[in-house]
Amino acid sequence: MKKFISTVKNIFSIEDLRIRILNTIGFLVVFRLGSFIVLPGVDPSKLGDAPEGIFGLIDTFLGGAFSNASIFGLGIMPYISASIVLQLLTVGVPYFQKLQKEGESGRKRINQITRVLTIAITVAQGIGYITATILPTGAVMVSTSLFMFSSLVLLSAGTMFCMWLGEKITEKGIGNGISMLIMIGIISRFPGAIIAEVLSKGTSGMLLLLIEAAVLFFVVLGVVALTEATRRIPVQYAKQVVGGKVYGGQRQYIPIKVNASGVMPIIFAQSLMFLPALIAQIWSAESDIANYIGSTFSDFTSWQYNLVFALMIILFTFFYTAITVNPEQIAEDLKRNGGFVPGIKPGAPTADFIDNIISRITLPGSILLSVVAVLPAFAIIAGIGGEFAQFYGGTSLLIMVGVIMDTLRQIESYLLMRHYEGMMKSGNMKNNPSNYAAAV
């Protein structure tokens, strides 16, 4: 406890770090306040309960703004969608591949295209959002056409403002701004989930609550281990003599994460898992098989749902890792900078070696990721409340752990740079990127 208090004092004794933390808190407060501002023309008392399925996942990311019919009802999600589309385009379209290799000017052009695409996606998603979740509730008190137009303008403005907040947090705060906005939305649901779980168990269920807390603690430890696990590839740099001084010659490492794809495979899989039930509903009245498929895939605690879900996560993990981690590019960058993997020839043999390692570590990583994804379903089967069970795994827990660890690393770097003792006893957090050579 004494060390913790000392670390907090050290954090706030660094002026730049203190200002960044306060800026981050201020931006996040603005984001949370905006999630309670309802779209003009909506009667909040007539809005339904929190949605389920993919809409429930979006509502969790946005901290309830989606179900509140807020001006931040779409939040940062259209920007994330646009970023994913651009990321995929940089893999398969030569024009975007060229932009990616043009350095700062290419990145600026890609950012401009991303912003324009964000507005287009916001309008498209806004129409679906209003039509599917607001109009059916009968909460609209003005004409539908006027409400549709004004809401699309406000939702687009809200999304662009959220994007601006994210950029400002990255620039003037701590951590990745977009990730911080998603994390604060998820965390905002945690106190309510705990209260609901305590009330449901009552005073007679205190032992069960303690067991649930202990299990959650170990689940978080497991997710931290999965998020931080890396395979270090040794790299040797050739010695160079410049002006009578010798440079290079040290052995460094390329860190390859076991879970290089992050939460994206779960998000991709969840976005598709509602399709079987949706399609089956069309023929449910005429076919017993369609009715069975519809009822089975509407229940996310069924073993059939979770089996298909897990298999899709494994497939998407390999797919997303393949498009985001490029062994040929890593090998080319190493060769250009005079680096090589000991015992492996530079160029194509190095690319094959790295690709082989990625393939071997991706399989166990994808299996563990699928286990984490289905843990909330097992938690519900075990008797844990649905709202609290969402924090036992899945996208929510992975995002929270990833963002918190990245933020702690950034704070750690500030402390070590000012010659303060770090947040761990060793003074270095495990897997701190500053301990390794950059892959590119």
Side-chain angles (χ1 to χ4, degrees):
M1 188 65 183
K2 186 177 180 181
K3 176 177 170 56
F4 174 76
I5 294 173
S6 174
T7 302
V8 173
K9 287 182 179 179
N10 291 338
I11 289 173
F12 283 91
S13 66
I14 302 173
E15 184 179 3
D16 184 32
L17 182 56
R18 182 175 66 249
I19 291 173
R20 283 181 173 274
I21 291 174
L22 294 176
N23 285 341
T24 302
I25 294 173
F27 288 133
L28 293 178
V29 168
V30 171
F31 175 70
R32 287 303 300 149
L33 290 175
S35 66
F36 294 100
I37 302 176
V38 181
L39 290 169
V42 174
D43 182 0
S45 63
K46 293 183 179 180
L47 294 173
D49 297 331
E52 298 179 353
I54 188 65
F55 288 160
L57 177 66
I58 295 173
D59 194 46
T60 299
F61 287 167
L62 299 177
F66 189 86
S67 57
N68 290 340
S70 161
I71 58 172
F72 291 170
L74 296 178
I76 205 68
M77 303 312 291
Y79 175 74
I80 294 174
S81 301
S83 299
I84 293 172
V85 170
L86 263 295
Q87 191 175 31
L88 295 174
L89 289 176
T90 55
V91 176
V93 179
Y95 173 73
F96 291 99
Q97 290 177 342
K98 182 181 177 182
L99 285 179
Q100 194 177 33
K101 295 178 180 179
E102 287 180 358
E104 187 62 27
S105 61
R107 280 193 293 270
K108 286 183 179 179
R109 179 59 178 161
I110 290 176
N111 288 336
Q112 291 174 350
I113 297 173
T114 303
R115 288 185 174 92
V116 174
L117 185 59
T118 298
I119 296 175
I121 292 176
T122 303
V123 173
Q125 290 184 352
I127 294 172
Y129 170 54
I130 294 168
T131 304
T133 64
I134 300 178
L135 293 180
T137 63
V140 179
M141 299 180 294
V142 296
S143 68
T144 303
S145 57
L146 175 62
F147 175 75
M148 179 69 75
F149 175 77
S150 62
S151 295
L152 288 177
V153 172
L154 288 172
L155 287 172
S156 300
T159 293
M160 299 307 291
F161 183 73
C162 289
M163 188 173 69
W164 179 83
L165 281 177
E167 291 175 350
K168 286 301 176 183
I169 291 174
T170 303
E171 179 185 346
K172 298 181 179 296
I174 286 289
N176 180 281
I178 303 301
S179 300
M180 290 291 284
L181 294 181
I182 296 175
M183 186 196 70
I184 200 64
I186 295 171
I187 290 179
S188 68
R189 311 298 292 268
F190 192 58
I194 294 177
I195 293 172
E197 188 68 13
V198 171
L199 292 177
S200 66
K201 293 292 188 292
T203 55
S204 60
M206 291 305 296
L207 179 60
L208 284 175
L209 287 173
L210 291 175
I211 294 174
E212 290 176 8
V215 172
L216 179 59
F217 174 75
F218 286 107
V219 168
V220 171
L221 288 183
V223 173
V224 170
L226 174 62
T227 303
E228 297 298 296
T230 58
R231 167 68 159 85
R232 300 196 304 172
I233 301 176
V235 175
Q236 189 78 31
Y237 284 91
K239 291 182 179 180
Q240 296 178 350
V241 179
V242 180
K245 293 184 179 181
V246 179
Y247 295 91
Q250 305 104 344
R251 171 169 288 196
Q252 296 177 325
Y253 300 92
I254 299 175
I256 305 293
K257 281 186 171 290
V258 172
N259 180 28
S261 57
V263 299
M264 294 310 300
I266 300 180
I267 294 176
F268 283 152
Q270 279 180 320
S271 65
L272 295 178
M273 284 305 295
F274 75 98
L275 289 177
L278 186 66
I279 296 173
Q281 284 179 358
I282 301 174
W283 294 283
S284 59
E286 305 172 2
S287 171
D288 292 336
I289 296 177
N291 190 39
Y292 172 77
I293 293 174
S295 60
T296 300
F297 283 88
S298 296
D299 178 16
F300 74 95
T301 61
S302 67
W303 69 266
Q304 297 96 329
Y305 179 98
N306 285 284
L307 178 62
V308 174
F309 187 34
L311 291 175
M312 289 183 67
I313 289 172
I314 292 173
L315 293 175
F316 277 124
T317 300
F318 277 95
F319 167 74
Y320 200 76
T321 301
I323 67 173
T324 54
V325 183
N326 189 345
E328 287 80 10
Q329 186 65 45
I330 296 174
E332 182 182 335
D333 291 336
L334 282 175
K335 185 177 180 180
R336 185 171 60 249
N337 293 312
F340 60 92
V341 178
I344 307 296
K345 291 182 179 180
T350 298
D352 293 338
F353 175 76
I354 295 174
D355 184 57
N356 186 41
I357 288 178
I358 292 173
S359 300
R360 282 190 291 177
I361 66 175
T362 298
L363 179 59
S366 64
I367 293 174
L368 291 173
L369 187 64
S370 63
V371 170
V372 171
V374 301
L375 278 179
F378 287 103
I380 291 176
I381 293 173
I384 298 174
E387 197 171 351
F388 189 53
Q390 297 303 315
F391 293 92
Y392 275 76
T395 316
S396 302
L397 185 57
L398 282 165
I399 289 175
M400 285 194 297
V401 168
V403 174
I404 290 172
M405 294 303 295
D406 286 341
T407 305
L408 289 179
R409 283 197 197 95
Q410 195 167 341
I411 295 174
E412 176 89 357
S413 66
Y414 272 96
L415 291 174
L416 296 178
M417 191 167 53
R418 299 300 179 96
H419 306 292
Y420 285 109
E421 187 178 0
M423 304 184 75
M424 299 295 182
K425 289 184 179 179
S426 63
N428 284 296
M429 288 183 65
K430 185 180 179 183
N431 292 331
N432 191 325
S434 61
N435 296 333
Y436 308 127
V440 293

